[in-house]
Amino acid sequence: GNDKKKFKGDKSSCSPSRVLHLRQIPSDVTEAEVISLGVPFGKVTNLLMLKGKSQAFLEMASEEAAVTMVNYYTPATPHLRSQPVYIQYSNHRELKTDNLPNQARAQAALQAVNAMQSGSLAVTSVLAAEGGPLPGQGSVLRIIVENLFYPVTLEVLYQIFSKFGAVLKIITFTRNNQFQALLQYADPMHAYYAKMALDGQSVYTACCTLRIEFSKLTSLKVKYNNDKSRDFTRLDLPSGDGQPPLEPSIAAAFGKKPSLLMSSDAINTLPGLSVPAAPATLTSLAVTTSAVSGQMTIPGVTDVPGNSVLLVSNLNPEAITPHGLFILFGVYGDVHRVKIMFKKKENALVQMADAMQAQLAISHLNGQRLYGRVLRATLSKHQTVQLPREGQDDQGLTKDYSNSPLHRFKKPGSKNFQNIFPPSATLHLSNIPSSVTVDDLKNLFASTGSTVKAFRFFQKDCKMALIQLGSVEEALHALIKLHNHDLGENHHLRVSFSKSTI
């Protein structure tokens, strides 16, 4: 009887809770489908379905997992059975469902998912009863990437799909001008859960959308291990010079003769790497990176294509510091390490969190004027930035930022992913306390040597403002100097480039 009151209180302004409130779920949805929304973010510990109200409550094992899930699904609304579902924090801190009727199905589905996640497959029959794979749905998925604005590599697919179980083989190819992949799991259950959770999701913000269906193939044959095809069970396969046509069995599955797999340099012609505004960084579907090396980590595969270390040259040694490079390159990705060369201080190595972010930084910062010189940024031959040995004095020229609180892209689904723009004379300012005035901010920027051409607060939100400086170079200098500047009242100024002008 108190349901109405309870739901009125469930507004998204609630403080974070590990219990999430789902609205507008389809009436015919299964428990397993609702649980699948939470699976990529962590363990789901409880579920309460209120089908009559088209609502459900999902309890995650930790508040952190729930926050990650809400941050991810807020800009990218999930769909169940083609219907949008809305997710927000609940007022409840935990779900008490022990004495409620009709909980047997939910508990069976939860047990099945948790067993699947821990590798036990003894509950396939329970899952089938909860809407698991139908007969004939095997362990091979066919993936089509729509709106391919940026390249989606085999490594990225591996990282996304391996969250749901052991991926054995992947083949990527282009057919009918669409980038596609065939991916084989060790078990049909894993394929089923991956399809449930990922179909319709986007790899990058607002693009590279996955469309997933079960393939008619029961197994994939991979001849070569390279950046277009890989058999993770056979690391002894050759890399192959030219790329062969698809296996006849695969061709038969498509009905027509497919096009050749992309040649080794075709990936460079995909939109994205050649576009000045290269990829928006990965959302939570993304590649996991090793905190030490920043490299994408794939078990058993050492030669991952793509380097995350940049060689930055033609710097002004009088003005540049590791911290300055950390702040500047941090606009386009999370910087893990910076090393200014001891003997040649015009050069530095900057290690990004992954190869995609390194590419993004090059596309935006190479050729920009910084402290009177034209900065050059290319990929380095080094795979990681070495820290100085203990007791070795390198004059503070090497810094490790892998655990810095200033990383902009740690949170999956963060708004920062949508606000990556080329350097411009107009800066976006945020996190401004109400006591700070227009003049305070103008004077602050003038004190760094900037010419303030224009300024305005956002009408709807006085914590944010735009400031237009005399040149792009001035904006680069001001961003390096003033990002994270303490404005008092425990507010640190956040500075990024804006696509707007005043």
Side-chain angles (χ1 to χ4, degrees):
N2 291 327
D3 276 348
K4 275 189 181 151
K5 286 181 194 167
K6 187 165 71 179
F7 289 122
K8 274 184 186 164
D10 256 348
K11 294 281 181 272
S12 53
S13 59
C14 287
S15 59
S17 162
R18 65 193 185 97
V19 180
L20 300 172
H21 175 202
L22 283 65
R23 294 176 294 122
Q24 295 187 24
I25 63 169
S27 56
D28 56 347
V29 78
T30 66
E31 283 80 356
E33 285 172 294
V34 175
I35 293 166
S36 74
L37 292 176
V39 168
F41 305 95
K43 187 176 179 183
V44 179
T45 48
N46 208 347
L47 171 69
L48 173 61
M49 299 279 278
L50 300 170
K51 286 192 176 176
K53 294 185 165 60
S54 301
Q55 302 188 11
F57 287 90
L58 197 68
E59 180 187 271
M60 302 299 287
S62 70
E63 190 177 293
E64 187 185 12
V67 169
T68 305
M69 182 170 163
V70 168
N71 285 345
Y72 178 67
Y73 285 135
T74 301
T77 307
H79 287 69
L80 288 175
R81 306 212 168 192
S82 305
Q83 194 170 311
V85 175
Y86 299 95
I87 300 177
Q88 60 198 35
Y89 300 117
S90 167
N91 285 340
H92 304 283
R93 295 288 153 225
E94 61 179 321
L95 282 181
K96 294 194 173 81
T97 58
D98 302 350
N99 305 322
L100 293 176
N102 308 323
Q103 269 302 93
R105 285 171 60 89
Q107 292 309 313
L110 278 166
Q111 283 171 5
V113 173
N114 291 333
M116 185 277 291
Q117 282 191 306
S118 60
S120 159
L121 299 166
V123 287
T124 308
S125 56
V126 179
L127 257 169
E130 291 302 321
L134 301 169
Q137 291 180 342
S139 54
V140 179
L141 295 176
R142 180 183 177 204
I143 302 149
I144 296 173
V145 185
E146 292 180 347
N147 192 12
L148 185 79
F149 199 62
Y150 307 119
V152 173
T153 64
L154 185 146
E155 278 70 37
V156 168
L157 290 173
Y158 178 90
Q159 290 291 359
I160 293 168
F161 282 83
S162 60
K163 285 185 179 182
F164 297 88
V167 174
L168 303 186
K169 302 169 188 174
I170 304 178
I171 296 172
T172 65
F173 55 97
T174 301
R175 175 170 169 71
N176 299 334
N177 289 328
Q178 282 184 315
F179 178 70
Q180 303 189 21
L182 292 164
L183 183 144
Q184 182 179 342
Y185 275 105
D187 184 88
M189 284 311 314
H190 301 170
Y192 170 72
Y193 267 96
K195 180 184 184 301
M196 295 281 292
L198 297 176
D199 187 24
Q201 299 291 353
S202 296
V203 180
Y204 303 106
T205 309
C207 69
C208 302
T209 305
L210 302 174
R211 297 287 171 220
I212 304 170
E213 56 194 49
F214 286 100
S215 168
K216 296 188 179 81
L217 297 169
T218 53
S219 179
L220 299 179
K221 288 179 185 167
V222 176
K223 286 184 177 176
Y224 301 102
N225 278 346
N226 54 32
D227 57 347
K228 305 298 176 291
S229 63
R230 200 161 297 163
D231 183 337
F232 294 95
T233 65
R234 294 270 319 272
L235 297 177
D236 57 322
L237 290 178
S239 64
D241 296 325
Q243 200 61 50
L246 285 173
E247 280 286 328
S249 59
I250 296 172
F254 292 116
K256 296 178 191 165
K257 184 173 184 282
S259 60
L260 294 183
L261 293 186
M262 289 192 290
S263 66
S264 58
D265 53 279
I267 193 83
N268 298 328
T269 64
L270 283 172
L273 291 186
S274 56
V275 175
T281 355
L282 298 168
T283 66
S284 72
L285 287 183
V287 179
T288 54
T289 57
S290 141
V292 181
S293 69
Q295 286 294 90
M296 295 187 286
T297 50
I298 297 177
V301 179
T302 49
D303 56 338
V304 176
N307 186 0
S308 61
V309 180
L310 302 170
L311 171 62
V312 185
S313 54
N314 203 33
L315 295 166
N316 181 339
E318 304 296 315
I320 204 64
T321 63
H323 179 75
L325 289 171
F326 165 69
I327 294 293
L328 179 58
F329 281 77
V331 174
Y332 299 108
D334 291 338
V335 176
H336 284 196
R337 290 179 180 172
V338 176
K339 182 186 191 80
I340 293 177
M341 301 302 191
F342 188 76
K343 290 184 177 168
K344 199 173 181 196
K345 294 188 171 64
E346 292 85 9
N347 293 351
L349 295 175
V350 176
Q351 182 174 321
M352 308 296 288
D354 60 46
M356 196 57 84
Q357 295 181 4
Q359 203 69 53
L360 192 60
I362 289 173
S363 69
H364 284 308
L365 294 175
N366 183 44
Q368 295 291 343
R369 281 186 71 81
L370 184 67
Y371 303 121
R373 297 192 177 189
V374 177
L375 177 150
R376 293 286 167 224
T378 58
L379 285 177
S380 165
K381 63 177 188 286
H382 297 281
Q383 293 295 312
T384 183
V385 171
Q386 296 294 329
L387 292 176
R389 289 189 300 280
E390 210 171 321
Q392 178 187 358
D393 178 25
D394 81 333
Q395 299 179 0
L397 295 175
T398 308
K399 297 279 187 188
D400 185 355
Y401 297 101
S402 46
N403 294 315
S404 170
L406 296 186
H407 286 165
R408 297 177 188 238
F409 304 101
K410 255 188 187 153
K411 279 188 187 169
S414 155
K415 285 221 171 85
N416 293 336
F417 289 113
Q418 298 161 42
N419 295 319
I420 296 174
F421 302 114
S424 64
T426 306
L427 295 171
H428 179 278
L429 314 180
S430 60
N431 205 30
I432 303 165
S434 51
S435 59
V436 170
T437 65
V438 173
D439 286 342
D440 291 337
L441 288 164
K442 283 184 174 178
N443 291 338
L444 177 65
F445 278 81
S447 72
T448 68
S450 301
T451 317
V452 179
K453 291 277 188 79
F455 182 95
R456 73 171 167 84
F457 275 111
F458 280 55
Q459 274 182 326
K460 290 181 182 171
D461 189 349
C462 288
K463 290 180 189 163
M464 296 199 288
L466 293 177
I467 188 164
Q468 190 177 330
L469 304 181
S471 67
V472 175
E473 187 177 5
E474 277 188 18
L476 287 163
H477 299 171
L479 182 139
I480 289 171
K481 199 95 172 260
L482 295 176
H483 179 65
N484 201 44
H485 178 82
D486 190 349
L487 291 172
E489 299 177 39
N490 207 16
H491 281 65
H492 286 77
L493 183 66
R494 295 184 62 78
V495 185
S496 52
F497 296 112
S498 173
K499 63 177 179 184
S500 311
T501 50
I502 305 176

